Amino acid sequence: MPRTPQEIFERCVYVGTLSHDADAFAEQFTEDGVFEAPLLSAESAFPARLVGREQIRTEMAAYYARQAGDHRRPNLEKSGYVLHVTEDPDVFIVEIDTVFDGEGDGEDVTVSLVQIFRTRDGRIARLRDYFAPDLMS
């Protein structure tokens, strides 16, 4: 039984954003899958475009390793998303508001983004991740 858009999205968030498991994240993609962040420059710490499961695995592992000292994690109780299915059963769009707790007396930080998923046989064939470039140093 193929996975639903919600199952695909939630698994992607768990293995990527929450667990930083590059192997499991890469396995969510088709062999020729594409993961891209079109608003980022090539010089960004976050990869702007990765093609193929193996490049996704390698580059995301390196990115997660560079971020190892960053212990911020989203506050799942405050964060939320709206998933939109489309007329094309292989395409869905997710609006996301990720909230990070303020440190000390600081206010919470909300990061809003949009992701567009194109799937094939229950895996991600293309994931376009649209977020503000200045968030990724």
Side-chain angles (χ1 to χ4, degrees), residues 4-50:
T4 67
Q6 184 165 344
E7 290 168 335
I8 292 169
F9 170 71
E10 289 179 354
R11 180 72 179 153
C12 187
V13 168
Y14 178 76
V15 299
T17 305
L18 299 177
S19 301
H20 290 182
D21 184 338
D23 290 327
F25 183 73
E27 289 302 316
Q28 301 311 300
F29 287 81
T30 60
E31 191 66 37
D32 61 345
V34 176
F35 177 39
E36 58 189 345
L39 301 179
L40 298 182
S41 70
E43 296 80 36
S44 174
F46 192 86
R49 181 176 168 83
L50 303 174

CSV table of all heavy atoms in Angstrom, one decimal, residues 4-50:
chain,number,residue,atom,x,y,z
A,4,THR,N,0.7,7.7,2.2
A,4,THR,CA,-0.1,8.9,2.0
A,4,THR,C,0.8,10.1,2.0
A,4,THR,O,1.9,10.1,2.5
A,4,THR,CB,-1.2,9.1,3.1
A,4,THR,OG1,-0.5,9.4,4.3
A,4,THR,CG2,-2.1,7.9,3.2
A,5,PRO,N,0.4,11.3,1.4
A,5,PRO,CA,1.2,12.5,1.5
A,5,PRO,C,1.6,12.8,2.9
A,5,PRO,O,2.7,13.2,3.2
A,5,PRO,CB,0.3,13.6,0.9
A,5,PRO,CG,-0.5,12.8,-0.2
A,5,PRO,CD,-0.8,11.5,0.5
A,6,GLN,N,0.6,12.7,3.8
A,6,GLN,CA,0.9,13.0,5.2
A,6,GLN,C,2.0,12.1,5.8
A,6,GLN,O,2.9,12.6,6.5
A,6,GLN,CB,-0.3,13.0,6.1
A,6,GLN,CG,-0.1,13.4,7.5
A,6,GLN,CD,-1.3,13.7,8.3
A,6,GLN,OE1,-2.4,13.9,7.7
A,6,GLN,NE2,-1.2,13.8,9.6
A,7,GLU,N,1.9,10.8,5.5
A,7,GLU,CA,3.0,9.9,6.0
A,7,GLU,C,4.3,10.2,5.4
A,7,GLU,O,5.3,10.2,6.1
A,7,GLU,CB,2.6,8.4,5.6
A,7,GLU,CG,1.4,7.9,6.4
A,7,GLU,CD,0.8,6.6,5.9
A,7,GLU,OE1,1.0,6.3,4.7
A,7,GLU,OE2,0.2,5.9,6.7
A,8,ILE,N,4.4,10.6,4.1
A,8,ILE,CA,5.6,10.9,3.5
A,8,ILE,C,6.2,12.2,4.1
A,8,ILE,O,7.4,12.2,4.5
A,8,ILE,CB,5.4,11.1,2.0
A,8,ILE,CG1,5.1,9.8,1.3
A,8,ILE,CG2,6.7,11.8,1.3
A,8,ILE,CD1,4.6,9.9,-0.1
A,9,PHE,N,5.4,13.2,4.3
A,9,PHE,CA,5.8,14.4,4.9
A,9,PHE,C,6.3,14.2,6.3
A,9,PHE,O,7.4,14.7,6.7
A,9,PHE,CB,4.7,15.5,4.9
A,9,PHE,CG,5.1,16.7,5.7
A,9,PHE,CD1,6.0,17.6,5.2
A,9,PHE,CD2,4.4,17.0,6.9
A,9,PHE,CE1,6.4,18.7,6.0
A,9,PHE,CE2,4.7,18.1,7.6
A,9,PHE,CZ,5.7,19.0,7.2
A,10,GLU,N,5.5,13.6,7.2
A,10,GLU,CA,5.9,13.4,8.6
A,10,GLU,C,7.1,12.6,8.7
A,10,GLU,O,8.0,12.9,9.6
A,10,GLU,CB,4.7,12.8,9.3
A,10,GLU,CG,3.6,13.8,9.5
A,10,GLU,CD,2.4,13.2,10.3
A,10,GLU,OE1,2.3,12.0,10.6
A,10,GLU,OE2,1.5,14.0,10.6
A,11,ARG,N,7.3,11.6,7.9
A,11,ARG,CA,8.6,10.8,8.0
A,11,ARG,C,9.8,11.6,7.6
A,11,ARG,O,10.8,11.5,8.2
A,11,ARG,CB,8.4,9.5,7.0
A,11,ARG,CG,9.6,8.6,7.0
A,11,ARG,CD,9.8,7.9,8.3
A,11,ARG,NE,11.0,7.0,8.2
A,11,ARG,CZ,11.7,6.6,9.2
A,11,ARG,NH1,11.3,6.9,10.5
A,11,ARG,NH2,12.7,5.9,9.1
A,12,CYS,N,9.6,12.4,6.5
A,12,CYS,CA,10.7,13.3,6.1
A,12,CYS,C,11.1,14.3,7.2
A,12,CYS,O,12.3,14.5,7.4
A,12,CYS,CB,10.2,14.0,4.8
A,12,CYS,SG,11.4,15.0,4.0
A,13,VAL,N,10.1,14.8,7.9
A,13,VAL,CA,10.4,15.8,9.0
A,13,VAL,C,11.1,15.0,10.1
A,13,VAL,O,12.1,15.5,10.7
A,13,VAL,CB,9.1,16.4,9.5
A,13,VAL,CG1,9.4,17.2,10.8
A,13,VAL,CG2,8.6,17.4,8.5
A,14,TYR,N,10.6,13.8,10.4
A,14,TYR,CA,11.2,13.1,11.6
A,14,TYR,C,12.7,12.7,11.3
A,14,TYR,O,13.5,13.0,12.1
A,14,TYR,CB,10.4,11.8,11.9
A,14,TYR,CG,11.0,11.0,13.0
A,14,TYR,CD1,10.9,11.5,14.3
A,14,TYR,CD2,11.8,9.9,12.7
A,14,TYR,CE1,11.5,10.8,15.3
A,14,TYR,CE2,12.4,9.2,13.7
A,14,TYR,CZ,12.2,9.6,15.1
A,14,TYR,OH,12.9,9.0,16.1
A,15,VAL,N,12.9,12.1,10.1
A,15,VAL,CA,14.3,11.6,9.9
A,15,VAL,C,15.3,12.7,9.5
A,15,VAL,O,16.5,12.6,9.8
A,15,VAL,CB,14.3,10.5,8.8
A,15,VAL,CG1,13.5,9.3,9.3
A,15,VAL,CG2,13.9,11.0,7.5
A,16,GLY,N,14.7,13.8,9.0
A,16,GLY,CA,15.6,15.0,8.6
A,16,GLY,C,15.7,16.0,9.7
A,16,GLY,O,16.7,16.1,10.4
A,17,THR,N,14.7,16.8,9.9
A,17,THR,CA,14.7,17.9,10.8
A,17,THR,C,14.9,17.5,12.2
A,17,THR,O,15.6,18.1,13.0
A,17,THR,CB,13.4,18.7,10.7
A,17,THR,OG1,13.2,19.1,9.3
A,17,THR,CG2,13.4,19.9,11.5
A,18,LEU,N,14.2,16.4,12.7
A,18,LEU,CA,14.3,16.1,14.1
A,18,LEU,C,15.5,15.1,14.4
A,18,LEU,O,16.1,15.3,15.4
A,18,LEU,CB,13.0,15.4,14.5
A,18,LEU,CG,11.8,16.4,14.4
A,18,LEU,CD1,10.5,15.6,14.8
A,18,LEU,CD2,11.9,17.6,15.2
A,19,SER,N,15.7,14.1,13.6
A,19,SER,CA,16.7,13.1,13.9
A,19,SER,C,18.1,13.4,13.3
A,19,SER,O,19.1,12.8,13.7
A,19,SER,CB,16.2,11.7,13.5
A,19,SER,OG,15.0,11.4,14.2
A,20,HIS,N,18.1,14.2,12.2
A,20,HIS,CA,19.3,14.4,11.4
A,20,HIS,C,19.9,13.1,11.0
A,20,HIS,O,21.2,12.9,11.0
A,20,HIS,CB,20.3,15.2,12.3
A,20,HIS,CG,19.9,16.6,12.5
A,20,HIS,ND1,20.6,17.5,13.1
A,20,HIS,CD2,18.7,17.3,12.1
A,20,HIS,CE1,20.0,18.7,13.2
A,20,HIS,NE2,18.8,18.6,12.5
A,21,ASP,N,19.1,12.2,10.5
A,21,ASP,CA,19.6,10.9,10.0
A,21,ASP,C,19.6,10.9,8.5
A,21,ASP,O,18.7,10.7,7.8
A,21,ASP,CB,18.6,9.8,10.5
A,21,ASP,CG,19.0,8.4,10.1
A,21,ASP,OD1,19.8,8.2,9.2
A,21,ASP,OD2,18.5,7.5,10.8
A,22,ALA,N,20.8,11.2,8.0
A,22,ALA,CA,21.0,11.4,6.6
A,22,ALA,C,20.7,10.1,5.8
A,22,ALA,O,20.2,10.2,4.7
A,22,ALA,CB,22.5,11.8,6.3
A,23,ASP,N,21.0,8.9,6.3
A,23,ASP,CA,20.7,7.7,5.6
A,23,ASP,C,19.2,7.5,5.5
A,23,ASP,O,18.7,7.3,4.4
A,23,ASP,CB,21.3,6.5,6.4
A,23,ASP,CG,22.8,6.4,6.3
A,23,ASP,OD1,23.3,6.8,5.3
A,23,ASP,OD2,23.4,6.0,7.3
A,24,ALA,N,18.5,7.7,6.6
A,24,ALA,CA,17.0,7.5,6.5
A,24,ALA,C,16.4,8.6,5.7
A,24,ALA,O,15.4,8.4,5.0
A,24,ALA,CB,16.4,7.5,7.9
A,25,PHE,N,16.9,9.9,5.7
A,25,PHE,CA,16.4,10.9,4.9
A,25,PHE,C,16.6,10.6,3.4
A,25,PHE,O,15.6,10.7,2.7
A,25,PHE,CB,17.1,12.3,5.3
A,25,PHE,CG,16.6,13.4,4.5
A,25,PHE,CD1,15.3,14.0,4.8
A,25,PHE,CD2,17.3,14.0,3.5
A,25,PHE,CE1,14.8,15.1,4.2
A,25,PHE,CE2,16.8,15.1,2.8
A,25,PHE,CZ,15.6,15.7,3.1
A,26,ALA,N,17.7,10.2,3.1
A,26,ALA,CA,18.0,9.8,1.6
A,26,ALA,C,17.1,8.7,1.2
A,26,ALA,O,16.7,8.7,0.0
A,26,ALA,CB,19.5,9.5,1.5
A,27,GLU,N,16.8,7.8,2.0
A,27,GLU,CA,16.0,6.6,1.6
A,27,GLU,C,14.5,7.0,1.4
A,27,GLU,O,13.8,6.3,0.8
A,27,GLU,CB,16.0,5.5,2.7
A,27,GLU,CG,17.3,4.8,2.8
A,27,GLU,CD,17.7,4.2,1.4
A,27,GLU,OE1,16.8,3.5,0.8
A,27,GLU,OE2,18.9,4.3,1.0
A,28,GLN,N,14.1,8.3,1.7
A,28,GLN,CA,12.8,8.8,1.4
A,28,GLN,C,12.7,9.1,-0.1
A,28,GLN,O,11.6,9.3,-0.6
A,28,GLN,CB,12.5,10.0,2.3
A,28,GLN,CG,12.5,9.7,3.8
A,28,GLN,CD,11.7,8.5,4.2
A,28,GLN,OE1,10.5,8.4,4.0
A,28,GLN,NE2,12.5,7.6,4.8
A,29,PHE,N,13.8,9.3,-0.7
A,29,PHE,CA,13.9,9.7,-2.1
A,29,PHE,C,14.0,8.5,-3.1
A,29,PHE,O,14.5,7.5,-2.8
A,29,PHE,CB,15.1,10.6,-2.3
A,29,PHE,CG,14.9,12.0,-1.7
A,29,PHE,CD1,15.1,12.2,-0.4
A,29,PHE,CD2,14.5,13.1,-2.5
A,29,PHE,CE1,14.9,13.4,0.2
A,29,PHE,CE2,14.3,14.3,-1.9
A,29,PHE,CZ,14.5,14.5,-0.6
A,30,THR,N,13.5,8.8,-4.3
A,30,THR,CA,13.8,7.8,-5.4
A,30,THR,C,15.3,7.8,-5.7
A,30,THR,O,16.0,8.7,-5.3
A,30,THR,CB,13.0,8.2,-6.7
A,30,THR,OG1,13.4,9.5,-7.1
A,30,THR,CG2,11.5,8.1,-6.5
A,31,GLU,N,15.8,6.8,-6.4
A,31,GLU,CA,17.2,6.7,-6.7
A,31,GLU,C,17.7,8.0,-7.4
A,31,GLU,O,18.8,8.4,-7.2
A,31,GLU,CB,17.5,5.5,-7.6
A,31,GLU,CG,18.9,5.2,-7.8
A,31,GLU,CD,19.6,4.7,-6.5
A,31,GLU,OE1,19.0,4.0,-5.6
A,31,GLU,OE2,20.8,5.1,-6.3
A,32,ASP,N,16.8,8.6,-8.3
A,32,ASP,CA,17.2,9.8,-9.0
A,32,ASP,C,16.6,11.0,-8.4
A,32,ASP,O,16.5,12.0,-9.1
A,32,ASP,CB,16.8,9.6,-10.5
A,32,ASP,CG,15.3,9.4,-10.7
A,32,ASP,OD1,14.6,9.1,-9.7
A,32,ASP,OD2,14.8,9.6,-11.8
A,33,GLY,N,16.1,11.0,-7.2
A,33,GLY,CA,15.4,12.1,-6.6
A,33,GLY,C,16.2,13.3,-6.5
A,33,GLY,O,17.5,13.3,-6.5
A,34,VAL,N,15.5,14.5,-6.4
A,34,VAL,CA,16.1,15.8,-6.4
A,34,VAL,C,15.6,16.5,-5.1
A,34,VAL,O,14.4,16.5,-4.9
A,34,VAL,CB,15.8,16.6,-7.7
A,34,VAL,CG1,16.4,18.0,-7.5
A,34,VAL,CG2,16.3,15.9,-8.9
A,35,PHE,N,16.6,17.1,-4.4
A,35,PHE,CA,16.2,17.9,-3.2
A,35,PHE,C,16.8,19.2,-3.5
A,35,PHE,O,18.1,19.4,-3.7
A,35,PHE,CB,16.8,17.2,-2.0
A,35,PHE,CG,16.6,18.0,-0.7
A,35,PHE,CD1,15.4,18.7,-0.4
A,35,PHE,CD2,17.6,18.1,0.3
A,35,PHE,CE1,15.2,19.4,0.7
A,35,PHE,CE2,17.4,18.8,1.4
A,35,PHE,CZ,16.2,19.4,1.7
A,36,GLU,N,16.0,20.3,-3.5
A,36,GLU,CA,16.5,21.6,-3.8
A,36,GLU,C,15.9,22.7,-3.0
A,36,GLU,O,14.7,22.5,-2.6
A,36,GLU,CB,16.4,21.9,-5.3
A,36,GLU,CG,15.0,21.9,-5.8
A,36,GLU,CD,14.9,22.0,-7.3
A,36,GLU,OE1,15.9,22.3,-8.0
A,36,GLU,OE2,13.8,21.7,-7.9
A,37,ALA,N,16.7,23.7,-2.7
A,37,ALA,CA,16.2,24.9,-2.0
A,37,ALA,C,16.5,26.1,-3.0
A,37,ALA,O,17.5,26.7,-2.9
A,37,ALA,CB,17.0,25.0,-0.7
A,38,PRO,N,15.5,26.3,-3.9
A,38,PRO,CA,15.7,27.3,-5.0
A,38,PRO,C,16.1,28.7,-4.5
A,38,PRO,O,16.7,29.5,-5.3
A,38,PRO,CB,14.4,27.3,-5.7
A,38,PRO,CG,13.8,26.0,-5.4
A,38,PRO,CD,14.2,25.7,-4.0
A,39,LEU,N,15.8,29.1,-3.3
A,39,LEU,CA,16.1,30.5,-2.9
A,39,LEU,C,17.5,30.7,-2.4
A,39,LEU,O,17.9,31.8,-2.1
A,39,LEU,CB,15.1,30.9,-1.8
A,39,LEU,CG,13.6,30.9,-2.3
A,39,LEU,CD1,12.7,31.4,-1.1
A,39,LEU,CD2,13.4,31.8,-3.5
A,40,LEU,N,18.2,29.6,-2.2
A,40,LEU,CA,19.6,29.6,-1.7
A,40,LEU,C,20.6,29.8,-2.7
A,40,LEU,O,20.5,29.3,-3.9
A,40,LEU,CB,19.9,28.3,-0.9
A,40,LEU,CG,19.0,28.1,0.3
A,40,LEU,CD1,19.5,26.8,1.0
A,40,LEU,CD2,19.0,29.2,1.3
A,41,SER,N,21.7,30.4,-2.4
A,41,SER,CA,22.9,30.5,-3.3
A,41,SER,C,23.7,29.3,-3.1
A,41,SER,O,23.6,28.5,-2.2
A,41,SER,CB,23.7,31.8,-2.9
A,41,SER,OG,24.4,31.6,-1.7
A,42,ALA,N,24.6,29.1,-4.1
A,42,ALA,CA,25.5,27.9,-4.1
A,42,ALA,C,26.5,28.0,-2.9
A,42,ALA,O,27.0,27.0,-2.5
A,42,ALA,CB,26.3,27.8,-5.4
A,43,GLU,N,26.7,29.2,-2.3
A,43,GLU,CA,27.6,29.4,-1.2
A,43,GLU,C,27.0,29.1,0.1
A,43,GLU,O,27.7,29.1,1.2
A,43,GLU,CB,28.2,30.8,-1.2
A,43,GLU,CG,29.0,31.1,-2.4
A,43,GLU,CD,28.2,31.5,-3.6
A,43,GLU,OE1,27.1,32.1,-3.5
A,43,GLU,OE2,28.6,31.1,-4.7
A,44,SER,N,25.7,28.8,0.2
A,44,SER,CA,25.0,28.6,1.5
A,44,SER,C,25.5,27.4,2.1
A,44,SER,O,26.0,26.4,1.5
A,44,SER,CB,23.5,28.5,1.2
A,44,SER,OG,22.8,28.1,2.3
A,45,ALA,N,25.5,27.4,3.5
A,45,ALA,CA,25.8,26.2,4.2
A,45,ALA,C,24.9,25.0,4.0
A,45,ALA,O,25.3,23.9,4.0
A,45,ALA,CB,25.8,26.5,5.7
A,46,PHE,N,23.6,25.3,3.7
A,46,PHE,CA,22.6,24.3,3.3
A,46,PHE,C,22.7,24.1,1.8
A,46,PHE,O,22.8,25.0,1.0
A,46,PHE,CB,21.2,24.8,3.7
A,46,PHE,CG,20.2,23.8,3.7
A,46,PHE,CD1,19.9,23.0,4.8
A,46,PHE,CD2,19.4,23.6,2.5
A,46,PHE,CE1,18.9,22.0,4.8
A,46,PHE,CE2,18.4,22.6,2.5
A,46,PHE,CZ,18.2,21.9,3.6
A,47,PRO,N,22.7,22.8,1.4
A,47,PRO,CA,22.9,22.5,0.0
A,47,PRO,C,21.7,23.1,-0.8
A,47,PRO,O,20.6,22.9,-0.5
A,47,PRO,CB,22.8,21.0,0.0
A,47,PRO,CG,23.0,20.5,1.4
A,47,PRO,CD,22.6,21.6,2.3
A,48,ALA,N,22.0,23.7,-1.9
A,48,ALA,CA,21.0,24.4,-2.7
A,48,ALA,C,20.3,23.4,-3.7
A,48,ALA,O,19.2,23.5,-4.0
A,48,ALA,CB,21.6,25.5,-3.5
A,49,ARG,N,21.1,22.4,-4.1
A,49,ARG,CA,20.5,21.4,-5.0
A,49,ARG,C,21.3,20.1,-5.0
A,49,ARG,O,22.5,20.1,-5.1
A,49,ARG,CB,20.5,21.9,-6.5
A,49,ARG,CG,19.9,20.9,-7.5
A,49,ARG,CD,19.9,21.6,-8.9
A,49,ARG,NE,19.6,20.6,-9.9
A,49,ARG,CZ,18.4,20.2,-10.3
A,49,ARG,NH1,17.3,20.7,-9.7
A,49,ARG,NH2,18.3,19.4,-11.3
A,50,LEU,N,20.6,19.0,-4.7
A,50,LEU,CA,21.2,17.7,-4.6
A,50,LEU,C,20.4,16.8,-5.6
A,50,LEU,O,19.2,16.7,-5.6
A,50,LEU,CB,21.1,17.1,-3.2
A,50,LEU,CG,21.8,18.0,-2.1
A,50,LEU,CD1,21.5,17.5,-0.7
A,50,LEU,CD2,23.3,18.2,-2.4
